[in-house]
Amino acid sequence: MTKLLILNGPNLNLLGTRQPEVYGRDTLADVEALCMSHAEQSGTNLVFYQSNHEGALIDRIHAARGSEDGIVFNAGAYTHTSIALLDAIVSVELPVVEVHLSNIHAREAFRHKSYISKAALGQICGFGPQSYLLAIDALNAHLQGASGQ
Ligand code: CA2
């Protein structure tokens, strides 16, 4: 069974509590429950991890090697700043789909740049919690293609 890591970065633990006009009213627990029920339909096993700390995210990416088949990654604001997270993704050689709740390209210029994109299979943004479901499907399709099924 395919096992995916749903990885969330800084401040995403606050989802649903502030800025609902940008990020919606769902909490991170709501988003995770949505992902769970979506993944059940395709027989995908999900593991969730959130941290506000760059080093902890790097450690979890390293741990994914040999443990998970791919990563759905919302790096939060580290998306726009972190070469260290980019290097971590490159180092584990796992497929990563970058996700964002908001359409980062329709927001401030500093959000248009993503270091994660350089190493990601692709980026899905702007669909709220649905972005995560699309990312799960994209990763599954990629992994099925990779194993020739
Ligand atoms: O749209 C996304 O998913 C982002 O990754 C969210 C990040 C932001 O820095 C990126 O540019 C785009 C911010 C997450 C902060 O989440 C909050 C949740 C509730 C209240 C305040 C912030």
Side-chain angles (χ1 to χ4, degrees), residues 1-4 39 41-45 69-70 95 121 135-149:
M1 189 190 261
T2 303
K3 189 174 168 193
L4 304 180
Q41 294 162 30
S42 58
T44 309
N45 197 354
D69 302 301
L121 287 176
I136 291 167
D137 290 348
L139 254 186
N140 270 331
H142 171 82
L143 289 166
Q144 278 163 22
S147 68
Q149 286 170 11

Side-chain angles (χ1 to χ4, degrees), residues 1-7 44-49 57-72 92-96 139-140 143:
M1 189 190 261
T2 303
K3 189 174 168 193
L4 304 180
L5 172 63
I6 312 295
L7 186 59
T44 309
N45 197 354
L46 299 184
V47 188
F48 300 96
Y49 184 79
L57 293 166
I58 292 167
D59 287 344
R60 188 61 187 85
I61 291 167
H62 291 175
R65 186 175 191 153
S67 169
E68 283 94 27
D69 302 301
I71 304 174
V72 171
V92 294
E93 297 179 325
L94 284 171
V96 172
L139 254 186
N140 270 331
L143 289 166

Side-chain angles (χ1 to χ4, degrees), residues 11 14-15 18-19 23 74 76-77 80 100-102 104 111:
N11 298 310
L14 297 177
L15 265 188
R18 289 181 207 110
Q19 291 186 266
Y23 299 117
N74 186 347
H80 319 298
H100 300 283
L101 294 153
S102 61
I104 57 174
R111 294 187 203 275

